[in-house]
């Protein structure tokens, strides 16, 4: 009963508008619009225009946009490398900075390290021991061939030589990522493990670093990725290759989907590869839109056509000259269109894109 005054006002307004522009001798005024027992409303063209109701055909939807997903630009795993400190020390000089390109084995950092002094001493000792063991093995092999010593002794010498050689290789491997700077004892230069571009620098002159601390992040090419999370209920719809839209027109495509859900946020990690020329930078944060495949029968309608109806949604569709409310399921959408499904809803069917609230008010009053 509380809606009745609003309906009377609408009816009066319609009658007045219909009468405007007509002479006193014109035909009788049209009856005020009323909903039938099924909630359908028949309107003439004049009544539709006077109430400001506009119609737009529903369009078949091939995708469902999932909007507002927070994302971060990252360097691809396959083309990135962390440059780490082989020994603890203090940075004396930074030789490259972010954005610079480096070649393989180019010095990137100069470090003073007391640990290096001990390692260099171990390497010199291992080299001397390996040389002596190799010489002894050669002598014993000659003596064994001449029958002066038993074969077991020659075998022992060869085994010791092999152990000493392995120790030398191990000591040398720990020095492969650096070279002496030519300055004070214990000062070395940290070398680039691969050619690429410096995307992140984590060190500064005077900084004390522990062994294995990250110093730089390198990227071997200009490719970039996006990392974002999607609700876990969409897991069955995620596929590699699905498009991702970014602000400004840049695009990406899904490259990998996480295999486990975040227990707290109940979301899945997704990694997408950015198209070339995006103009974005590693670490940049933005909101993206994931395009999921639309189910059969889904259509796109203007956002203004969709009405809240309790816990669900409602569209008014035009069948002939009769409007009726149609319950629909909202799948997603963007700022302009909503993607919906509903029984009897199909592409090409006109929907009320403006004035739908008036239609709902008229049907609710009956």
């Amino acid at each position: 009963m509380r809606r009745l005054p609003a309906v009377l006002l609408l009816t009066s307004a319609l009658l007045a508008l219909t009468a405007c522009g007509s002479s006193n001798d014109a035909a009788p005024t049209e009856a005020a619009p009323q909903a039938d027992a099924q909630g359908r409303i028949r309107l003439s063209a004049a009544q539709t225009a006077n109430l400001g109701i506009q119609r737009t055909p529903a369009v078949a939807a091939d995708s469902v946009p999932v909007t507002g997903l927070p994302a971060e630009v990252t360097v691809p795993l396959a083309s990135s490398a962390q440059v780490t400190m082989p020994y603890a020390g203090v940075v004396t000089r930074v030789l490259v900075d972010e954005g610079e390109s480096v070649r393989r084995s180019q010095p990137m950092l100069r470090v003073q390290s007391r640990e290096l002094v001990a390692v260099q001493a171990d390497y010199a000792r291992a080299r001397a021991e390996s040389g002596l063991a190799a010489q002894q093995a050669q002598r014993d092999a000659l003596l064994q061939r001449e029958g002066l010593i038993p074969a077991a002794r020659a075998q022992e010498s060869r085994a010791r030589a092999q152990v000493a050689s392995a120790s030398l290789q191990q000591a040398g491997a720990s020095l492969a990522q650096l070279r002496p700077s030519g300055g004070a004892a214990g000062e070395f230069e940290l070398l680039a493990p691969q050619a690429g571009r410096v995307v992140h620098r984590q060190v500064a002159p005077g900084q004390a670093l522990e062994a294995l601390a990250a110093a730089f992040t390198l990227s071997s090419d200009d490719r970039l990725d996006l990392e974002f999370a999607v609700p876990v209920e969409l897991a069955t719809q995620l596929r590699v290759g699905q498009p991702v839209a970014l602000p400004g027109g840049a695009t990406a495509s899904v490259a990998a989907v996480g295999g486990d859900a975040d227990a707290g946020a109940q979301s899945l990690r997704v990694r997408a590869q950015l198209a070339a020329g995006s103009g974005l930078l590693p670490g940049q944060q933005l909101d993206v839109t994931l395009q999921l495949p639309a189910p059969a029968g889904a259509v796109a309608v203007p956002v203004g056509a969709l009405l809240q109806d309790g816990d669900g949604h409602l569209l008014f569709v035009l069948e002939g000259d009769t409007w009726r409310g149609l319950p629909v399921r909202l799948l997603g959408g963007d700022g302009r269109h909503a993607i919906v499904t509903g029984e009897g809803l199909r592409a090409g069917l006109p929907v009320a894109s403006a004035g739908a609230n008036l239609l709902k008010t008229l049907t609710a009053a009956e």
Side-chain angles (χ1 to χ4, degrees), residues 61-65 236-239 242-243 290-296 298 331:
D62 56 6
S63 63
V64 179
T236 58
Q237 303 180 52
L238 296 173
R239 299 290 185 276
Q242 288 172 337
L290 174 64
Q291 301 288 348
L292 295 178
L331 303 178

Side-chain angles (χ1 to χ4, degrees), residues 76-217:
L77 297 175
S79 61
S80 63
Q82 285 280 352
V83 183
T84 59
M85 291 282 293
Y87 309 110
V90 177
V91 177
T92 58
R93 188 175 179 185
V94 177
L95 304 176
V96 296
D97 204 354
E98 294 174 350
E100 294 186 29
S101 295
V102 296
R103 63 186 182 277
R104 182 180 175 86
S105 298
Q106 178 179 335
M108 304 184 69
L109 197 66
R110 191 167 292 170
V111 180
Q112 179 69 43
S113 172
R114 288 182 294 181
E115 285 186 14
L116 178 60
V117 177
V119 171
Q120 288 172 328
D122 291 342
Y123 177 72
R125 187 181 305 109
R127 184 170 57 184
E129 290 176 353
S130 177
L132 289 174
Q135 292 174 10
Q136 185 63 49
Q138 291 174 357
R139 287 194 298 268
D140 287 349
L142 179 59
L143 294 173
Q144 191 265 328
R145 284 196 299 270
E146 295 177 353
L148 299 177
I149 63 172
R153 179 175 168 183
Q155 290 174 354
E156 279 184 35
S157 296
R158 284 197 300 271
R160 284 195 295 269
Q162 290 172 354
V163 170
S165 177
S167 298
L168 177 63
Q169 291 177 0
Q170 183 178 4
S174 64
L175 298 172
Q177 199 179 348
L178 54 86
R179 73 182 183 196
S181 66
E187 188 175 62
F188 68 89
E189 291 177 341
L190 185 63
L191 307 180
Q194 66 178 40
R197 181 171 56 89
V198 180
V199 295
H200 189 50
R201 171 178 59 82
Q202 292 115 302
V203 294
Q207 184 175 351
L209 298 174
E210 296 295 329
L212 301 181
F216 298 94
T217 301

Side-chain angles (χ1 to χ4, degrees), residues 70 77 226-232 235 238 254-263 265-272 290:
L77 297 175
L226 274 178
E227 290 187 357
F228 56 93
V230 299
V232 71
L238 296 173
V254 173
V257 178
D260 62 337
D262 182 279
Q266 287 298 286
S267 60
L268 278 176
R269 296 184 304 277
V270 177
R271 178 181 285 269
L290 174 64

Side-chain angles (χ1 to χ4, degrees), residues 43 47-56 301-307 315-316 323 350-360:
L43 297 177
Q47 290 172 328
T48 300
N50 289 334
L51 286 174
I53 298 172
Q54 299 177 13
R55 63 185 186 183
T56 301
V301 298
V303 169
L306 198 64
L307 301 176
L315 279 179
F316 275 89
W323 292 95
V351 302
S353 56
N357 276 314
L358 293 175
L359 295 172
K360 184 180 179 182

